[in-house]
Amino acid sequence: MHDTRDSVGVLVVDAKAGQSLEGRDLSTNGTMAAKAVADIPLGHTKCALKDFKVGDTLIKYGCDIGKVVQPIRAGDHVHIHNLKTKRLA
């Protein structure tokens, strides 16, 4: 996490379903933990830090990165299948 408002964590390694993850909040230097509930391949680096419902907003690096279009569980892979930009085409 880069900001205490972040609702997704950025992974720097592949994560496998069931894997325990540990990271750092770069704004406070505190530690954080999560458990991957799905495989998250490197390059698809976002992991939900809590549960989300359709319509919720996700925050990464302190910025709004879009709205949830499919329910997301804590530890889920966050990508284009469950998150869409709010920008107009």
Side-chain angles (χ1 to χ4, degrees):
M1 289 174 43
H2 286 237
D3 188 286
T4 55
R5 295 171 292 171
D6 289 355
S7 54
V8 296
V10 177
L11 303 178
V12 295
V13 297
D14 290 320
K16 297 293 182 193
Q19 181 178 349
S20 293
L21 307 169
E22 186 174 305
R24 187 156 304 281
D25 178 336
L26 298 179
S27 62
T28 66
N29 204 34
T31 58
M32 52 173 284
K35 186 174 217 165
V37 296
D39 290 347
I40 305 172
L42 188 60
H44 293 235
T45 59
K46 294 177 294 298
C47 177
L49 299 176
K50 63 179 193 170
D51 293 339
F52 294 95
K53 64 184 183 317
V54 172
D56 285 347
T57 294
L58 291 184
I59 305 295
K60 176 181 170 186
Y61 303 146
C63 298
D64 178 336
I65 61 168
K67 71 176 180 175
V68 174
V69 296
Q70 294 291 325
I72 301 172
R73 297 174 296 158
D76 261 342
H77 175 203
V78 176
H79 201 57
I80 61 172
H81 64 286
N82 55 18
L83 177 71
K84 299 294 180 200
T85 182
K86 293 178 182 176
R87 288 185 246 165
L88 298 175

